[in-house]
């Protein structure tokens, strides 16, 4: 089993069990106890769990303590589920904007697998690396300073360049959604980029798995009234769907198609 697959199995298993022993995780992944110890040390370093005597325990730290790559491991199946719904609003020939975020990693994979001709702008280099496999895609990369922790470009020049374009749709990856505070985020350097993308886009669609809902990060981004769509996975409850729809946003989940 590849290391990334082991990481995913370990993190998802701990969500269910809260605590697991080295031997238990070794059996789960088919790896040696020594390999599991090294995996757990790496996962703890990146804020995904806590190593305890004899094993590991789940950890519910905020996302700001987790690296970009590690955030991509969490809820991957839910992200893959929700991006399949994007066919409701994305059509070939459109100009699409994707901001930085692990959910937009899965968005990019969905786009290159299901569309023939798109113009796409992104400020994230990992997303760009996926999009470049789209043979007939036109890719735009705004210039700026590099945030190596997020693999993202940012800064005033980056924002100004984004504002020089017009896009049909922004697919917006966010950290937190609240019916009280709207969209909030901990990525300070990304806020200006998000606002520039929003100003340049005709429609705005948030892509967020259910774990991002009813949470508040420390920087305000925008109100729910500035959004056109929200896409999420089947983990979002019917009560949550109704509550956010009552805010005037069209919301898509596998059980509720708008």
């Amino acid at each position: 089993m590849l290391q990334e697959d082991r990481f995913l199995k370990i993190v998802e298993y701990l969500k269910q069990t809260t605590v697991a022993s080295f031997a238990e995780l070794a059996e789960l992944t088919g790896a040696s106890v020594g390999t599991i110890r090294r995996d757990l040390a790496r996962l703890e370093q990146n804020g995904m769990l806590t190593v305890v005597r004899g094993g590991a325990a789940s950890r519910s730290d905020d996302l700001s303590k987790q690296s970009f790559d590690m955030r991509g491991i969490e809820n991957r199946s839910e992200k893959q589920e929700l991006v399949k719904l994007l066919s409701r609003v994305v059509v070939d020939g459109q100009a699409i904007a994707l901001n930085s975020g692990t959910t937009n990693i899965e968005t990019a994979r969905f786009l290159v697998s299901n569309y023939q001709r798109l113009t796409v702008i992104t400020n994230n280099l990992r997303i760009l690396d996926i999009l470049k496999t789209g043979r007939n895609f036109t890719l735009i990369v705004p210039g700026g300073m590099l945030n190596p922790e997020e693999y993202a470009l940012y800064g005033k020049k980056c924002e100004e360049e984004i504002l020089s374009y017009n896009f049909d749709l922004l697919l917006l990856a966010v950290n937190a959604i609240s019916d009280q505070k709207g969209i909030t985020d901990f990525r300070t350097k990304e806020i200006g980029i998000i606002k520039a993308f929003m100003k340049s886009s005709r429609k705005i669609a948030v892509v967020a798995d259910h774990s991002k809902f009813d949470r508040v990060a420390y920087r305000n981004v925008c109100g729910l009234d500035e959004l056109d769509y929200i896409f999420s996975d089947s983990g979002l409850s019917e009560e949550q769907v109704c509550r956010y729809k009552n805010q005037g946003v069209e919301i898509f989940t596998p059980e509720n198609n708008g």
Side-chain angles (χ1 to χ4, degrees), residues 125-145:
L125 301 183
R126 287 290 175 89
I127 293 171
L128 177 66
D129 198 47
I130 296 167
L131 291 171
K132 72 182 184 183
T133 63
R135 183 174 298 177
N136 295 313
F137 281 27
T138 299
L139 303 181
I140 303 170
V141 186
M145 299 176 67

Side-chain angles (χ1 to χ4, degrees), residues 28 58 60 85 91 190 210 213 218 222 230:
L28 175 72
S58 62
S60 57
L85 301 171
V91 297
E190 186 75 5
H210 69 276
F213 286 76
Y218 61 81
C222 69
I230 295 175

